[in-house]
């Protein structure tokens, strides 16, 4: 069994990586950085200048901003300056209301916002904000490596806080080094009272799904499958998993003013690690303990994969999170560690190479592909079927297989990432 010291480190890791967020985490992180710079300035800025890494720019361009009915960075930046509170973290836009949105639109119309691409940013996740007041005062805040990780704070050129930005920082020195065996052992053997907090992910993400199922957000994929899909999908666990998961994504990408539980800085990843598990557990009439352990297995598997992939990459996050979900589905089906390993290998054999072309309403489609594959991979694993090391990038060792996946997403797809951003910014 994982010892108490290791358990404490893993619990701290989960608590840091699985957190509530209102809206897509990329534009929200930009709003957070603007809010911090504005607080340092001590006045509503006359001008906001933001320089972003390519991956930040890509993920912030086409997503709805909660409570605004609007898309993209300008309104997020304006609201960060006008009503944002950095103490809220990724819920920085919690206080948005209609009056704030009107003021934000006026702020944009007055030409106060400037956005540029920081092509030489030291991290794939990098936000550099400078705000300027009418009297000439200025303030600067920089977030790098993680969505809430400030590395520089300045006022009128004087630095009050600074640390180096170290690469893409997929992991930090205090993190415990994970492998899939440790993840599985922790999820299945840790005393229940130490991990029951994960049920908050079920609560928040189910509420987001219900919001979309009764409203009209994004492309309404979840509601379409639930209301019109019986003829094609049937009233099945797979249909339920796809409907609830895509609905939560519809709400988040469509700008619904609801919090979701994120994973490794991504709301969609948090949704995908949560909702298929919650839905399948309900259909299988799983106990609360089984549900808790399955959710921990899903979320911690996703965190483990992200440790070597990095916060933002060319690889769609649904590949990571749906792999965690497949492991959890195997557990709920009664499988053990061998079957979990098989499911992970089956997932890597299928979804590797799915590109990330930014956060947007159609992410619900990619998430649904991941959920479908998660179920297929779990079913194969439970029937003794596993993609072998003679096939593609699969290795006999499951951890080596995971690192084959992440090295492709982190290194081999770099040029793909550049081309995707070029296409997106040239339309």
């Amino acid at each position: 069994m994982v010892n108490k010291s290791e358990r404490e480190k893993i619990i701290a890791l989960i608590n840091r990586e699985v957190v509530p967020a209102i809206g897509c985490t990329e534009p929200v992180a930009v709003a957070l950085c603007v809010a911090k710079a504005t607080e340092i300035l001590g006045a509503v800025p006359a001008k906001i200048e933001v320089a972003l890494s390519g991956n930040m720019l890509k993920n912030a361009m086409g997503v709805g901003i909660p409570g605004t009915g609007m898309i993209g960075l300008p309104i997020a930046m304006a609201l960060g300056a006008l009503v944002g509170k950095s103490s809220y973290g990724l819920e920085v836009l919690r206080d948005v209301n209609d009056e704030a949105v009107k003021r934000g639109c006026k702020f944009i119309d007055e030409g106060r916002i400037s956005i540029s691409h920081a092509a030489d940013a030291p991290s794939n996740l990098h936000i550099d904000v400078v705000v300027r007041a009418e009297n000439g005062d200025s303030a600067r805040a920089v977030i790098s490596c993680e969505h809430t990780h400030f590395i520089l704070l300045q006022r009128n050129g004087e630095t009050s806080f600074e640390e180096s930005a170290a690469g893409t920082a997929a992991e930090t020195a205090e993190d415990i080094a994970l492998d899939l065996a440790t993840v599985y052992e922790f999820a299945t053997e840790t005393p229940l009272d130490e991990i029951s907090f994960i049920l908050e992910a079920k609560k928040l993400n189910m509420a987001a799904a219900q919001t979309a199922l009764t409203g009209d957000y994004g492309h309404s994929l979840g509601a379409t499958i639930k209301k019109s899909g019986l003829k094609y999908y049937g009233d099945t666990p797979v249909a339920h998993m796809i409907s609830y998961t895509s609905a939560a994504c519809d709400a988040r990408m469509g700008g619904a003013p609801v919090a979701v539980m994120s994973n490794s800085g991504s709301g969609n990843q948090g949704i995908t690690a949560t909702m298929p598990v919650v839905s399948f557990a309900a259909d299988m009439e799983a106990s609360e303990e089984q549900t808790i352990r399955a959710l921990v297995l899903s979320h911690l598997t996703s965190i483990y994969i992200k440790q070597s992939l990095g916060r933002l990459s060319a690889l769609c996050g649904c590949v990571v999170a749906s792999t965690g979900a497949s492991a959890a589905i195997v557990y709920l089906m009664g499988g053990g560690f061998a079957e979990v390993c098989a499911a992970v290998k089956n997932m890597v054999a299928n979804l590797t190479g799915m590109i990330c072309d930014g956060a947007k309403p159609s992410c619900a489609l990619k998430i649904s592909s991941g959920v479908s594959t998660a179920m297929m991979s779990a079913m194969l694993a439970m029937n003794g079927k596993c993609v072998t090391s003679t096939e593609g990038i699969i290795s006999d060792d499951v951890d080596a297989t995971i690192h084959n996946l992440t090295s492709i997403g982190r290194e081999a797809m770099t040029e793909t990432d550049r081309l995707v951003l070029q296409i997106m910014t040239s339309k």
Side-chain angles (χ1 to χ4, degrees):
M1 183 174 177
V2 179
N3 65 48
K4 190 174 189 296
S5 174
E6 290 173 331
R7 291 204 316 271
E8 289 174 352
K9 289 180 180 179
I10 293 173
I11 289 168
L13 175 63
I14 296 172
N15 278 318
R16 193 174 71 248
E17 299 291 5
V18 181
V19 297
I22 296 177
C24 176
T25 46
E26 276 70 60
V28 165
V30 176
L32 172 62
C33 202
V34 170
K36 187 69 170 181
T38 300
E39 289 164 4
I40 295 169
L41 184 66
V44 174
K47 183 75 174 178
I48 306 174
E49 300 164 6
V50 173
L52 301 173
S53 58
N55 285 82
M56 283 298 301
L57 199 58
K58 180 180 72 173
N59 279 328
M61 288 173 60
V63 66
I65 306 303
T68 69
M70 299 172 69
I71 287 174
L73 278 168
I75 189 62
M77 291 167 57
L79 291 173
L82 294 170
V83 297
K85 290 184 175 63
S86 65
S87 59
Y88 290 170
L90 291 179
E91 296 181 275
V92 61
L93 299 182
R94 186 193 302 171
D95 295 336
V96 168
N97 54 34
D98 290 344
E99 178 59 30
V101 173
K102 289 178 184 177
R103 291 172 62 202
C105 290
K106 184 173 183 290
F107 199 95
I108 295 167
D109 291 342
E110 291 172 349
R112 296 172 180 254
I113 287 174
S114 171
I115 303 168
S116 63
H117 176 206
D120 58 350
S123 168
N124 284 345
L125 196 168
H126 194 78
I127 308 162
D128 192 333
V129 172
V130 176
V131 293
R132 304 183 189 279
E134 292 283 3
N135 65 2
D137 286 343
S138 67
R140 183 183 179 196
V142 179
I143 284 176
S144 197
C145 302
E146 298 179 10
H147 291 79
T148 59
H149 182 215
F150 287 95
I151 65 165
L152 181 68
L153 302 174
Q154 291 180 336
R155 190 177 194 280
N156 291 334
E158 294 186 6
T159 300
S160 59
F161 174 80
E162 184 175 15
E163 65 179 56
S164 64
T168 55
E171 56 189 356
T172 57
E174 67 269 20
D175 284 350
I176 184 170
L178 296 173
D179 54 44
L180 196 61
T182 301
V183 169
Y184 179 80
E185 188 177 344
F186 175 87
T188 57
E189 297 184 17
T190 296
L192 202 62
D193 62 330
E194 295 182 18
I195 55 174
S196 58
F197 64 85
I198 201 69
L199 287 175
E200 187 67 14
K202 172 184 175 180
K203 176 184 173 182
L204 288 182
N205 293 345
M206 179 59 82
Q210 295 290 2
T211 296
L213 291 173
T214 56
D216 182 17
Y217 294 95
H219 296 298
S220 296
L221 178 60
T224 299
I225 292 171
K226 185 174 179 65
K227 296 173 183 176
S228 307
L230 281 176
K231 178 179 178 181
Y232 306 103
Y233 282 91
D235 188 16
T236 65
V238 176
H240 302 160
M241 290 160 66
I242 295 173
S243 176
Y244 281 114
T245 308
S246 56
C249 180
D250 287 331
R252 177 175 178 263
M253 294 289 94
V258 295
V260 302
M261 191 66 82
S262 65
N263 180 299
S264 302
S266 166
N268 279 349
Q269 186 167 300
I271 288 167
T272 309
T274 303
M275 292 312 301
V277 182
V278 169
S279 176
F280 188 69
D283 280 334
M284 295 298 101
E285 298 182 345
S287 67
E288 182 173 84
E289 176 175 351
Q290 289 172 319
T291 302
I292 290 170
R293 295 194 183 281
L295 283 170
V296 170
L297 179 57
S298 180
H299 276 277
L300 191 56
T301 298
S302 300
I303 291 168
Y304 164 44
I305 298 172
K306 272 286 190 174
Q307 281 186 331
S308 58
L309 178 61
R311 291 275 161 175
L312 300 176
S313 75
L315 187 68
C316 176
C318 87
V319 176
V320 175
S322 55
T323 299
S326 188
I329 291 166
V330 164
Y331 169 79
L332 291 169
M333 287 178 170
F337 182 62
E339 289 77 22
V340 166
C341 291
V344 169
K345 292 180 183 180
N346 294 341
M347 290 295 292
V348 174
N350 190 328
L351 287 180
T352 298
M354 181 182 285
I355 65 167
C356 171
D357 55 345
K360 59 209 174 303
S362 61
C363 284
L365 292 165
K366 294 188 177 186
I367 282 175
S368 297
S369 297
V371 172
S372 299
T373 304
M375 177 58 93
M376 287 190 291
S377 296
M379 290 174 61
L380 283 174
M382 292 300 292
N383 281 279
K385 303 294 184 182
C386 178
V387 177
T388 68
S389 60
T390 62
E391 303 173 67
I393 65 168
I394 305 305
S395 298
D396 288 326
D397 181 78
V398 68
D399 296 297
T401 298
I402 288 171
H403 288 288
N404 292 342
L405 165 72
T406 58
S407 64
I408 288 172
R410 188 182 64 250
E411 300 165 18
M413 294 176 70
T414 302
E415 186 57 38
T416 300
D417 214 21
R418 281 195 287 266
L419 181 56
V420 167
L421 180 61
Q422 179 184 323
I423 292 170
M424 291 176 65
T425 55
S426 301
K427 290 188 292 185

